Amino acid sequence: MRICGLANIYSGVTGVVDIFKALSEESRLRILGLLMQGEMCVCEIEACLEMTQSNASRHLNILKNAGIVSSTKRAQWSYYKIDEEFKKDNRELLSYISKKIASLPCYQSDIDKMQKCKCSDMCH
């Protein structure tokens, strides 16, 4: 019984560490800032942040492995959004991060590019 308790504590600590590691890189914060606006196709994320496909995929996989984002596949396109369970379990953290991301110098430019991508309907 005591071992299970330690395993649960360790698992919880590992989850928190993984979340903060995933959020410790500017590109991933910028991706999160875009996804706070709603679901996006990986090609839209690449275009908005001027990233290569491999770079965007690497950052998205880190966010996904930390449980921050989830994805669905539609035809050849992968769509990402902030994971519903993560939103539910981390409301205060997301609120704090949202305020801090909005203060990044590149935030408004990223949002403007996202709106252009959405208007161009590039993934359909």
Side-chain angles (χ1 to χ4, degrees):
M1 179 98 144
R2 199 168 192 189
I3 292 173
C4 291
L6 287 176
N8 287 338
I9 290 170
Y10 180 74
S11 173
V13 169
T14 302
V16 170
V17 169
D18 290 341
I19 289 168
F20 281 101
K21 280 183 180 179
L23 296 173
S24 68
E25 207 279 332
E26 183 180 357
S27 294
R28 292 191 286 272
L29 287 175
R30 291 175 70 195
I31 290 170
L32 192 60
L34 293 175
L35 295 178
M36 286 179 171
Q37 307 303 309
E39 182 180 69
M40 291 183 74
C41 178
V42 69
C43 67
E44 294 171 324
I45 294 168
E46 292 167 21
C48 292
L49 301 182
E50 298 175 7
M51 288 183 170
T52 62
Q53 186 274 327
S54 61
N55 202 12
S57 292
R58 181 174 54 85
H59 288 303
L60 286 161
N61 279 326
I62 290 169
L63 291 168
K64 189 174 179 179
N65 289 339
I68 299 169
V69 303
S70 58
S71 66
T72 55
K73 192 120 170 123
R74 292 183 217 135
Q76 72 266 33
W77 309 112
S78 292
Y79 289 83
Y80 288 85
K81 65 180 184 174
I82 298 175
D83 185 78
E84 293 301 322
E85 183 96 7
F86 183 81
K87 281 186 197 178
K88 186 181 78 159
D89 294 342
N90 297 283
R91 282 190 179 110
E92 291 173 2
L93 177 61
L94 275 174
S95 175
Y96 173 81
I97 291 169
S98 177
K99 290 174 191 164
K100 294 301 179 182
I101 289 173
S103 70
L104 290 174
C106 55
Y107 176 75
Q108 193 55 55
S109 172
D110 290 349
I111 297 301
D112 292 344
K113 289 178 188 173
M114 180 203 68
Q115 289 169 342
K116 286 179 185 167
C117 285
K118 292 290 185 185
C119 288
S120 73
D121 209 21
M122 66 186 346
C123 299
H124 299 283

